[in-house]
Amino acid sequence: MSRADAADDGGLAARLRDADLGALTVPLGIVAIAVLLRPVVSHPLLLGYAQIANSMLIWMLVVASFNILLGYTGLLSFGHAMFLGIGTYSVAIGVAKLDVAFLLAAPLGILLATAIAYLVARMIVQKGEIYFAMLTMAFAKSVHFIANYDPGGLTGGTTGIAGGALPGWIETVRGFKYVVVAGWQLDWYYAIAIVFTVAMLLMWQLVRSPFGRTLVAIRENQKLARAMGIDVRRYKVWAFTFSAAFAALAGVLLEVNDQGATLSALSIPTSGDVILMSVLGGANYFFGPLAGAFVWLFAEDYLTEFHTLALPLSEYPLVTFEVSGLLTYWQFLLGLLFVIAVLVSPREGIWGLLRNGLGSLYGRLRGDAE
Amino acid sequence: MTTMFSSLRLDTDRLSPSGAAVWGVIALLLLLSFAVQPGLFVDQFIGGLVYGVSLILIALGLSIILGLLGIVNFAHGALFMLGAYFTYQLMSVWGVSFWVALVVAPTLVGLFGVLIERLVLQWLYDETPITGLLATFGVAMMIQEATRATWGGTPLSVQTPTVLTMGADLVVTTVARIRLFSVAVAVVAILGVYLLIERTDFGLSVRAGVLDREMAGFLGIDMPKRFVAMFFLGSFIAGLGGVLRGTAVGMDPMMGQQFIIITFVVVVVGGIGSLFGSVVSGILIGEAVYLTPLILTSLAKVSGVEALAIPGIGGLVPYLVMIVVLMVRPRGLFGQEGFLE
């Protein structure tokens, strides 16, 4: 139903629904995720474990930043972890080794990642898609090598940076972190949630701006876009750069959350995980990557904690299976799910299925009501 | 220029001055390191050769499937790994001799590859390369986890037959015979693939398929049958590489992932779609990985600057080679225009 039709119907509710709520759905969704994630996952029926909500929000941010590339521009990068890692290492080096204030180290780290991304993108963004993927991997591998090589004792080699890497205004009480500034105390989760919300809103603005629409045009048909006078290379370069900046921001959060920097944050398998999460969730949708990251981390935690499968409910077991041995290999199940998702529809993912499923259900219900 | 093996002329007679200078410097450095450490040089050279041919064995299958089907098969490294683990299963668990395993394990891997093709890849022939890459990425993950579940996460090894454990004397150094044997088997396999693709009617029809799958189909070639056959062949060779690697070095669940990434580098450096390019770049990268650290240590010894001997640089070299090659020649060394672009 188009907007004009709704206005003709005259109903205030219809007008509200079509005009204002449409534009607000995504921002409200972002805020809802940030506010509700921890209470929901820490409910005893789900994970019963509040800390994981922190990691979930951070990884959602990483995967969403990656999806600017894969989902919106159609660029497959195998080196996204490089920017995440530059963010974490910059803060860790700044705080633990050079004694620089966090508030200086973090922006510098993001700036560094952005600058590197810009230069790398200028070099490789016009290569064919397989060449592009390989070259991003090569650059990521080089950054990984440097961190592993431990130049000047800065990056800590294979062990990474662990001690003294927390900024002074973080206090840890019984495993929970709090941001303490001038007598004010804020739960670290909410600090992440605020950054998450702001960054996601920025990304949403980015993808629905003329800039973002141009990226979609490039994804859909690069030759046509060029024929229409779009400077494809420039747009791709900036998409890569923005994506890296948000990844580095997530890296900054990850550093504080994990109290240091680990080499694995920079590694190729991490880049691979990011791709998997993004595609599993649904690269076509803004919320797809968030769904992917959620399912991934949820599955990892839920399945590896699981020891016996009791049916129908653990309180009233009729049948129980000893599954702990099998579920250690949860990545097998995830790989299977992933292959099926790609075969069924490579760009829809979980979010796409959910959306279409709910959409048709809603339509059927309404059809019955009328 | 369109056949897979014979688009192989690098313009050596029109070598630019800067290119000549680069080759000259490399030759000088090699001579220098040979003069400083002759025993180690030969040792590392053979190490590079062994590594290079195992890369080629994986790269051939990858390159054939990429050329024929346009699918970047990420699961190909997992097939290589399965070759190694099947060897373990045959030799250490069931007590079969190495020579039987050398034939049986690759055959099993070949059948496994056909299974993957029938179950997953055949649905992806008309999709974009990214889709194929993603799907096979998932398949690789499943195989890796299944391997971990079946054989455990710790590295394993098999008992090499005594004929192959002895050393072979090469004047300045001795090397284990298994390494020379690996190179010999790999060379035979590569020659076999070359003859099959270039000299038989079957190879002719496959090359036709690489050029234009649809047109070849119109002309009455049963392409799906060719796909299955080539998939078997590609997986078989990768499995063979796995057997050799597993016998000489051992196996662990990460080897598939590690090798597939380097193999991609090999294929891209050689030029996508060119089997000859894969062979050349496999040797090039294998040698670069093993000789670069040697050159650097020799330089450090001669010049007295210890900082030149960067530890672990070998792992980075393939990527540096790739960045340089792709900057200078955007389609790799022997790549064809318009292939997967």
Side-chain angles (χ1 to χ4, degrees):
Chain A
M1 184 190 280
S2 77
R3 193 170 290 185
D5 290 340
D8 284 346
D9 284 353
L12 181 67
R15 221 181 298 172
L16 259 182
R17 188 179 66 225
D18 282 20
D20 294 322
L21 276 179
L24 282 178
T25 322
V26 169
L28 285 177
I30 293 168
V31 173
I33 290 173
V35 172
L36 293 178
L37 186 67
R38 185 160 80 172
V40 170
V41 293
S42 59
H43 191 276
L45 268 182
L46 294 169
L47 296 178
Y49 169 49
Q51 296 290 40
I52 195 163
N54 299 1
S55 317
M56 278 181 173
L57 278 189
I58 294 171
W59 281 102
M60 282 176 177
L61 195 54
V62 178
V63 185
S65 73
F66 173 74
N67 206 42
I68 296 179
L69 287 181
L70 181 66
Y72 285 89
T73 323
L75 287 172
L76 178 62
S77 158
F78 263 92
H80 202 62
M82 152 168 70
F83 304 117
L84 175 76
I86 291 175
T88 47
Y89 268 96
S90 300
V91 176
I93 291 171
V95 173
K97 307 267 167 161
L98 303 179
D99 225 6
V100 180
F102 173 85
L103 283 180
L104 186 65
L108 277 181
I110 296 172
L111 206 64
L112 179 69
T114 313
I116 291 178
Y118 179 76
L119 293 177
V120 167
R122 294 227 19 170
M123 266 195 271
I124 68 174
V125 90
Q126 274 306 74
K127 309 277 180 195
E129 46 186 25
I130 291 173
Y131 295 104
F132 177 80
M134 293 307 300
L135 282 168
T136 49
M137 189 188 281
F139 281 103
K141 195 82 190 176
S142 311
V143 173
H144 181 267
F145 178 81
I146 294 170
N148 193 19
Y149 177 57
D150 195 11
L154 276 182
T155 56
T158 45
T159 46
I161 300 169
L166 269 187
W169 40 264
I170 291 279
E171 278 180 16
T172 311
V173 184
R174 279 189 238 104
F176 281 85
K177 291 194 186 66
Y178 295 92
V179 178
V180 182
V181 181
W184 283 69
Q185 185 175 334
L186 178 68
D187 195 328
W188 168 238
Y189 172 80
Y190 289 106
I192 298 179
I194 291 167
V195 178
F196 170 83
T197 310
V198 172
M200 289 303 293
L201 287 176
L202 279 176
M203 270 191 253
W204 173 240
Q205 281 305 326
L206 191 72
V207 299
R208 66 194 219 111
S209 68
F211 175 81
R213 297 289 134 184
T214 313
L215 295 184
V216 173
I218 292 172
R219 175 192 83 197
E220 288 299 318
N221 192 336
Q222 186 167 310
K223 282 182 184 145
L224 180 61
R226 188 174 295 133
M228 282 159 59
I230 294 170
D231 187 346
V232 171
R233 176 163 180 258
R234 214 180 101 212
Y235 276 91
K236 281 184 175 176
V237 167
W238 282 108
F240 197 80
T241 312
F242 280 129
S243 158
F246 284 112
L249 175 67
V252 168
L253 293 178
L254 192 67
E255 195 274 343
V256 180
N257 198 52
D258 294 353
Q259 308 161 39
T262 56
L263 203 54
S264 74
L266 273 171
S267 66
I268 303 287
T270 305
S271 299
D273 288 351
V274 171
I275 298 173
L276 289 170
M277 289 186 214
S278 174
V279 173
L280 192 65
N284 245 1
Y285 301 96
F286 188 73
F287 281 119
L290 307 192
F294 178 78
V295 169
W296 181 277
L297 292 171
F298 191 88
E300 181 173 25
D301 203 72
Y302 191 71
L303 295 180
T304 47
E305 288 292 305
F306 221 52
H307 294 301
T308 50
L309 179 63
L311 293 174
L313 274 173
S314 52
E315 283 85 357
Y316 314 97
L318 293 176
V319 205
T320 55
F321 300 100
E322 183 65 33
V323 286
S324 62
L326 276 179
L327 287 169
T328 322
Y329 307 103
W330 62 279
Q331 287 202 344
F332 182 85
L333 297 176
L334 225 52
L336 185 65
L337 196 62
F338 182 79
V339 172
I340 292 171
V342 173
L343 285 182
V344 170
S345 157
R347 302 192 64 88
E348 292 289 315
I350 294 172
W351 186 257
L353 291 178
L354 213 63
R355 214 175 122 109
N356 296 341
L358 286 181
S360 67
L361 190 69
Y362 177 67
R364 203 174 299 165
L365 285 179
R366 225 170 51 156
D368 288 346
E370 283 165 10
Chain B
M1 65 145 283
T2 45
T3 57
M4 292 172 89
F5 264 108
S6 52
S7 63
L8 44 84
R9 203 168 47 80
L10 260 188
D11 296 332
T12 39
D13 38 81
R14 287 193 284 115
L15 201 61
S16 66
S18 54
V22 169
W23 287 114
V25 169
I26 291 175
L28 266 182
L29 287 173
L30 288 175
L31 275 177
L32 172 84
S33 40
F34 181 70
V36 177
Q37 302 155 301
L40 200 56
F41 184 88
V42 173
D43 219 31
Q44 292 294 88
F45 182 81
I46 290 173
L49 208 58
V50 173
Y51 187 59
V53 292
S54 26
L55 291 179
I56 295 173
L57 288 181
I58 314 174
L60 280 183
L62 197 68
S63 211
I64 292 172
I65 292 163
L66 187 60
L68 201 58
L69 311 172
I71 289 179
V72 184
N73 186 8
F74 211 98
H76 211 68
L79 294 173
F80 170 76
M81 175 181 72
L82 279 182
Y85 274 99
F86 285 168
T87 315
Y88 175 82
Q89 185 71 19
L90 286 165
M91 288 175 66
S92 296
V93 183
W94 293 339
V96 180
S97 103
F98 170 73
W99 307 103
V100 176
L102 188 62
V103 179
V104 173
T107 311
L108 290 177
V109 174
L111 294 176
F112 199 87
V114 171
L115 189 72
I116 294 177
E117 196 269 351
R118 284 291 95 189
L119 285 180
V120 180
L121 291 183
Q122 66 157 323
W123 312 107
L124 296 168
Y125 287 163
D126 295 315
E127 301 281 351
T128 59
I130 285 187
T131 313
L133 182 65
L134 291 173
T136 50
F137 194 65
V139 173
M141 195 163 126
M142 288 167 68
I143 298 178
Q144 187 179 321
E145 282 297 295
T147 305
R148 201 194 299 277
T150 316
W151 288 286
T154 47
L156 299 170
S157 61
V158 294
Q159 187 72 43
T160 320
T162 38
V163 194
L164 296 174
T165 45
M166 287 184 287
D169 194 16
L170 293 177
V171 191
V172 285
T173 181
T174 46
V175 290
R177 281 191 193 169
I178 178 75
R179 300 167 82 188
L180 298 180
F181 177 76
S182 305
V183 176
V185 171
V187 168
V188 170
I190 294 164
L191 277 179
V193 173
Y194 168 75
L195 291 176
L196 181 73
I197 300 272
E198 290 292 317
R199 298 293 163 86
T200 63
D201 285 350
F202 175 80
L204 187 67
S205 64
V206 168
R207 276 183 283 144
V210 171
L211 267 189
D212 190 335
R213 176 151 56 91
E214 205 170 24
M215 198 60 208
F218 282 146
L219 293 175
I221 300 173
D222 186 352
M223 285 324 284
K225 225 175 241 167
R226 300 286 184 288
F227 294 161
V228 173
M230 289 318 281
F231 225 94
F232 179 82
L233 181 68
S235 313
F236 181 91
I237 310 170
L240 187 64
V243 175
L244 296 173
R245 173 85 187 174
T247 316
V249 183
M251 56 219 83
D252 65 274
M254 294 304 286
M255 70 188 277
Q257 205 180 56
Q258 282 156 5
F259 267 81
I260 193 64
I261 292 175
I262 303 281
T263 308
F264 275 138
V265 174
V266 167
V267 172
V268 167
V269 166
I272 291 175
S274 162
L275 292 189
F276 180 75
S278 297
V279 173
V280 172
S281 87
I283 299 288
L284 179 76
I285 286 182
E287 290 298 351
V289 167
Y290 275 74
L291 290 182
T292 311
L294 186 72
I295 290 176
L296 288 176
T297 48
S298 305
L299 270 182
K301 255 188 197 168
V302 172
S303 66
V305 185
E306 281 300 317
L308 275 175
I310 306 167
I313 187 74
L316 187 63
V317 167
Y319 303 98
L320 298 181
V321 170
M322 179 169 73
I323 292 174
V324 171
V325 167
L326 286 188
M327 289 303 147
V328 181
R329 296 178 72 94
R331 294 191 185 88
L333 294 176
F334 301 97
Q336 295 157 22
E337 191 178 339
F339 208 92
L340 281 180
E341 282 176 15

